[in-house]
Amino acid sequence: MNYKIALIRGDGIGPEVVGEAVKVLEQVGKKFGHTFTNTDVPIGGCAIDAVGKSYPDGTAEACKACDAVLLGAVGGPKWGHSTDPEKRPETALLSIRKDLGLYANLRPAALRPALADACPLKKETADKGIDLMMVRELTGGIYFGQKERYQTEDRGEEASDRMAYSEKEIERIGRRAFELARLRRKKVASVDKANVLETSRLWRQVMHRLAEEYSDVEYEDVLVDNAAMQLVRDPSQFDVIVTENLFGDILSDEASQITGSIGMLPSASLGDGTRGLYEPIHGSAPDIAGQDKANPIGMILAAAMMLRYSLDMPAEADAVEAAVNTALESGLRTGDILEPGKTAVGCAGMGQAIAANL
Ligand code: IPM
Ligand code: MG
């Protein structure tokens, strides 16, 4: 079979890590008899430089013509200060999520045995293990509500961001979380701020309805401030965490940090069909761009998620994950996870080793 992949290499270390994922996919193709045809789709800062806007016309169509999208990272200080949305790299990211209908963002955070020492939590906490799946609503809430800025008579300038959620939006992300939990340890923690926000009260109402329907799944409500605390106090209590867009943005960075390195974690953004967008959760890291220092593992694991969720290739996905583990167990480390006694490699060296392990 031939599969069409849209490659959004992006900015900073994006092109380097995408390059390594492509190497690994080529190897997967050879081993399992698939071909991957790649199409470059430039968005973000590089697109601002090339055509004057971060989300060029035709981007969504180009991605829709493919089976899946791999994205490195977009943004950087060079494009950081524009007030014109077309000239902000982040606009491209939000637009592509919305235009492809990718409302479910899956961010798994797991502590790998080979990297247990990188966990910043107390040893007795880390020893209990971390293996959670953050399910973040990605196309609604305050990210996409009306934004306003206006002059008041007596309070100077004022700004507002509207946060709205419909039952339909809550139900579809909730279902995704419960379905995922059924394939894991059958626990869902729904994170909200129902003691203050009306959107959260509706969120909770819908989640409770689903909890009754999925009665085989253990369910709890957790207030977002408490969730932030529990993630560092005892992350082993969590299996699937489901939450709205902004809370999920914040909590997923926290969840990634407790597993050691943000460079290690992948994410999948999914809609109703099989097409998805796969990216590492790290940013473009302009400070180390172009120096062969980036950790490509988050990107390579994102490619593994693509094999699993969009291309229905569970054996291939398992093989990539195993190849990553083998590279780590053999002592190879990029700078971000380097410890005494381990072997330092660059981005390309790590990608090469993982591809070779296949
Ligand atoms: C993320 C990022 C984005 C977000 C930014 C870059 C717009 O932080 O994917 O988590 O807030 O969603
Ligand atoms: Mg974020």
Side-chain angles (χ1 to χ4, degrees), residues 227-250:
M229 179 175 75
Q230 296 301 333
L231 271 174
V232 289
R233 197 189 66 83
D234 179 17
S236 73
Q237 69 186 285
F238 294 115
D239 178 18
V240 172
I241 296 178
V242 61
T243 190
E244 65 87 40
N245 206 342
L246 181 62
F247 297 161
D249 177 47
I250 299 167

Side-chain angles (χ1 to χ4, degrees), residues 90 93-94 97 107 136 138 143 245 249 252-253 279:
E90 293 75 17
L93 211 49
L94 300 186
R97 290 171 179 171
R107 297 188 165 182
R136 167 188 175 193
L138 203 60
Y143 271 63
N245 206 342
D249 177 47
S252 61
D253 269 28
E279 57 184 315

Side-chain angles (χ1 to χ4, degrees), residues 189-197 199-205 207-208 219-227 242-244 247 251:
S190 166
V191 172
D192 65 32
K193 189 71 184 172
N195 51 351
V196 177
L197 301 178
T199 42
S200 283
R201 286 190 273 271
L202 179 62
W203 179 278
R204 200 175 268 208
Q205 188 183 315
M207 289 295 166
H208 284 192
Y219 175 87
E220 63 172 335
D221 301 303
V222 187
L223 291 170
V224 62
D225 47 351
N226 185 28
V242 61
T243 190
E244 65 87 40
F247 297 161
L251 292 180

Side-chain angles (χ1 to χ4, degrees), residues 5-10 39-43 46 58-60 62-63 66 69 96:
I5 314 293
L7 296 182
I8 300 180
R9 297 175 196 265
T39 309
D40 270 291
V41 180
I43 70 167
C46 59
T59 298
C63 293
C66 292
V69 185
I96 200 163

